[in-house]
Amino acid sequence: MKQFMDKDFLLSTDMAKKLYHDYAAKMPVLDYHCHINPQEIAEDRRFDNITQVWLGGDHYKWRQMRSNGVEEAYITGDATDREKFQKWAETLEKLIGNPLYHWSHLELQRYFGYTGHLNGDTAEEVWNLCNEKLQKDDSMTVRGLIRQSNVTLICTTDDPADTLEWHEKIAADDTFDVQVLPAWRPDKAMNVEKPDFAAYMARLSDVSGVAIKDFASLKEALKTRMDYFAAHKCSVSDHALEYVMYVPAPESEIDAVMAKGLAGETVTREEELKYKTAFMLFVAKEYNRRDWVMQLHYGCKRDNNAYMFEKLGPDTGFDCINNYAPSAQMADFLNALSGTNEIPKTIIYSLNPNDNASIGTILGCFQSAGTSGRIQQGSAWWFNDHKLGMTEQMTSLANLGCLGNFIGMLTDSRSFLSYTRHEYFRRIMCALVGGWVENGEYPADMKALKNIVEGISYTNAVKYFGFDL
């Protein structure tokens, strides 16, 4: 029996161990998509206790606590932090086979030096150990955690109307050498069907200095804000889509849809899809012109529990996989951009693992010279960033595309301890690649394998995004 999560955790072959320890483990971390708060980096926040780090916004953990019958008071409610931690510890011991079990213990090992296992009985010991280090060790502030994780660059997720003031303060601080760059996330400008669309358009008008009254003026406002983001070194965008739609319509129809949204009137489903198609075609062409990367996250059905949504609002753990994502429309969307040679560098993520193969085949239709893997399949996302999900995504990409050009892992997290997810991913990747070599499916060409492993771990992303590192 192997020791619990030892130095060769997940590495079952000699080649996997060599690839991980000699190459992958030594590479820095480039976290090109996350949801951390740049204000906490600017202010170098120090957390009071482990509950604040682990449970203050982590809907992954909240979902599992609810599955364990824990009352909401101990999850998002007014129970004490110590009580919440106890309930999480009692839940964790039941999560055999769940990535949260591995993530949590990797974080305890790497940041707190704890090599035991957390459960209801050890909760007090772990609580005291973690809190003492968080309160007294200067390497455990937000910036300290980033530094000890060997992170070189972070892209946050930012609304077009954001002032980016915290990014400015970080950039001006010579004592912190990790780049923290904004990433453009214009979902509120795209969601014409939402009741707050008109209010958001008014805010965007104020910030941009462009009175938004139709689609043409919206495009001008967005271009103005893109210029502002570009001045803050933004070169990455991100979109949360139900699916990648393609329902083209003339701009006169788009103006009519916008007029309804601005007036607070109900927008039909067909009108919504036409508006969003026009919106996405416009921003994609702008990204291409600016050499920005376009990330498309799709396949989520959000806010499914009406009772809990009323109590807690969005992003609290009540989302699920949506299995409606017509790949033909995604291909048509990219094809429309291809007709004028205006496809930007694009990363496609689906929340539904059944989409792996369709994404893999669509990639091959739209690659072009000049950029290796210009159209990418993103890493296994959200409900899929576990051992099986990552293995299936990389295997599918290897089968249908070019795994050696893959830009690898991201945290997609709100936690400053989540950088161990890069380690988790790298171990799984080395186990997969090492297994192929051990099985005689790829030669033991260490120069080529070094390039592949280091590329997927870090260097492919540096080249793909064009970051100055």
Side-chain angles (χ1 to χ4, degrees):
M1 182 175 68
K2 293 187 66 175
Q3 184 179 347
F4 171 64
M5 290 184 66
D6 65 3
K7 67 181 181 65
D8 293 328
F9 172 55
L10 298 176
L11 307 172
S12 58
T13 66
D14 289 341
M15 181 58 71
K17 294 171 187 177
K18 180 173 181 60
L19 295 177
Y20 178 73
H21 294 300
D22 289 1
Y23 307 134
K26 297 177 180 179
M27 300 305 293
V29 168
L30 195 164
D31 201 27
Y32 55 86
H33 175 66
C34 71
H35 296 276
I36 59 175
N37 185 346
Q39 180 177 352
E40 293 182 335
I41 302 176
E43 296 176 344
D44 198 16
R45 178 182 177 183
R46 181 184 290 275
F47 297 95
D48 295 329
N49 59 60
I50 185 63
T51 298
Q52 290 182 5
V53 180
W54 262 5
L55 297 172
D58 191 341
H59 51 79
Y60 284 81
K61 294 185 177 73
W62 294 351
R63 286 170 67 96
Q64 296 305 326
M65 293 169 77
R66 292 178 187 125
S67 296
N68 199 34
V70 175
E71 295 180 16
E72 197 65 31
Y74 297 100
I75 303 172
T76 61
D78 57 4
T80 67
D81 284 349
R82 176 64 184 87
E83 290 171 326
K84 291 179 178 179
F85 182 76
Q86 183 68 35
K87 295 296 185 182
W88 167 241
E90 293 169 0
T91 298
L92 184 64
E93 65 183 280
K94 297 183 179 182
L95 296 185
I96 185 170
N98 190 293
L100 282 168
Y101 197 86
H102 295 153
W103 295 349
S104 297
H105 285 93
L106 277 175
E107 292 168 13
L108 289 173
Q109 288 183 11
R110 300 296 175 263
Y111 298 109
F112 300 99
Y114 182 76
T115 56
H117 52 280
L118 175 59
N119 56 35
D121 294 334
T122 61
E124 180 69 14
E125 171 193 6
V126 176
W127 171 263
N128 291 330
L129 181 152
C130 292
N131 292 348
E132 182 178 8
K133 191 163 187 179
L134 284 168
Q135 292 162 13
K136 296 181 180 180
D137 190 333
D138 287 340
S139 70
M140 298 300 287
T141 64
V142 161
R143 293 189 182 189
L145 292 168
I146 293 170
R147 287 191 184 101
Q148 63 176 294
S149 303
N150 198 18
V151 178
T152 59
L153 187 145
I154 296 167
C155 288
T156 57
T157 302
D158 308 278
D159 185 271
D162 198 303
T163 64
L164 304 183
E165 60 179 305
W166 300 109
H167 294 85
E168 292 178 352
K169 291 179 179 179
I170 296 168
D173 188 346
D174 293 336
T175 66
F176 188 61
D177 60 359
V178 178
Q179 293 188 62
V180 181
L181 306 181
W184 169 270
R185 177 78 170 249
D187 295 349
K188 291 182 179 178
M190 186 183 68
N191 292 334
V192 68
E193 80 284 6
K194 298 290 187 182
D196 60 353
F197 178 77
Y200 180 76
M201 287 294 107
R203 181 184 174 205
L204 188 59
S205 293
D206 289 341
V207 172
S208 66
V210 177
I212 299 172
K213 56 185 183 300
D214 54 20
F215 194 53
S217 53
L218 171 60
K219 289 189 285 189
E220 288 306 310
L222 290 172
K223 286 193 285 188
T224 297
R225 296 306 294 169
M226 286 185 195
D227 291 341
Y228 182 78
F229 270 59
H232 290 76
K233 297 186 176 182
C234 173
S235 61
V236 181
S237 71
D238 182 48
H239 296 267
L241 304 172
E242 181 183 348
Y243 62 93
V244 183
M245 71 289 294
Y246 186 70
V247 185
E251 189 154 326
S252 58
E253 288 191 38
I254 308 306
D255 284 339
V257 177
M258 269 202 74
K260 292 177 72 172
L262 291 170
E265 299 174 8
T266 300
V267 172
T268 69
R269 178 63 166 167
E270 183 180 5
E271 290 171 333
E272 173 193 342
L273 294 175
K274 288 179 177 179
Y275 172 83
K276 289 182 175 179
T277 298
F279 185 97
M280 290 302 303
L281 288 171
F282 162 71
V283 294
K285 292 176 181 180
E286 276 298 307
Y287 302 154
N288 180 66
R289 186 174 70 83
R290 298 166 184 268
D291 197 26
W292 283 17
V293 174
M294 177 171 69
Q295 296 181 94
L296 304 175
H297 284 87
Y298 73 91
C300 181
K301 188 175 185 304
R302 300 178 184 272
D303 307 323
N304 295 290
N305 188 323
Y307 174 74
M308 294 304 293
F309 179 78
E310 184 67 23
K311 290 178 64 174
L312 302 176
D315 301 322
T316 50
F318 300 98
D319 304 328
C320 70
I321 292 172
N322 188 346
N323 67 356
Y324 180 73
S327 59
Q329 289 196 39
M330 179 162 61
D332 288 344
F333 169 73
L334 293 171
N335 199 38
L337 296 169
S338 175
T340 52
N341 196 28
E342 292 180 282
I343 304 180
K345 287 185 283 189
T346 300
I347 311 171
I348 302 169
Y349 312 77
S350 175
L351 199 56
N352 190 339
N354 292 331
D355 291 343
N356 282 339
S358 61
I359 292 174
T361 58
I362 288 172
L363 303 181
C365 297
F366 299 103
Q367 304 291 8
S368 59
T371 302
S372 297
R374 184 175 179 83
I375 315 298
Q376 288 264 340
Q377 181 181 13
S379 61
W381 170 46
W382 195 346
F383 295 124
N384 303 306
D385 54 3
H386 44 71
K387 183 172 68 172
L388 180 62
M390 292 179 189
T391 301
E392 289 183 344
Q393 182 268 337
M394 284 187 280
T395 301
S396 179
L397 181 56
N399 285 336
L400 299 170
C402 185
L403 183 62
N405 289 331
F406 180 34
I407 59 172
M409 189 56 174
L410 61 159
T411 63
D412 191 29
S413 174
R414 293 169 174 81
S415 170
F416 291 97
L417 298 185
S418 291
Y419 300 114
T420 52
R421 294 185 190 178
H422 285 261
E423 175 184 342
Y424 191 57
F425 165 82
R426 291 175 187 182
R427 287 176 177 271
I428 292 166
M429 181 262 291
C430 289
L432 180 64
V433 173
W436 287 333
V437 177
E438 293 274 1
N439 200 40
E441 299 177 53
Y442 191 90
D445 179 344
M446 299 316 298
K447 180 180 178 181
L449 289 166
K450 179 179 186 290
N451 288 336
I452 290 170
V453 169
E454 291 183 348
I456 296 172
S457 298
Y458 180 73
T459 59
N460 287 349
V462 175
K463 295 174 184 175
Y464 183 79
F465 289 99
F467 292 134
D468 183 16
L469 292 170

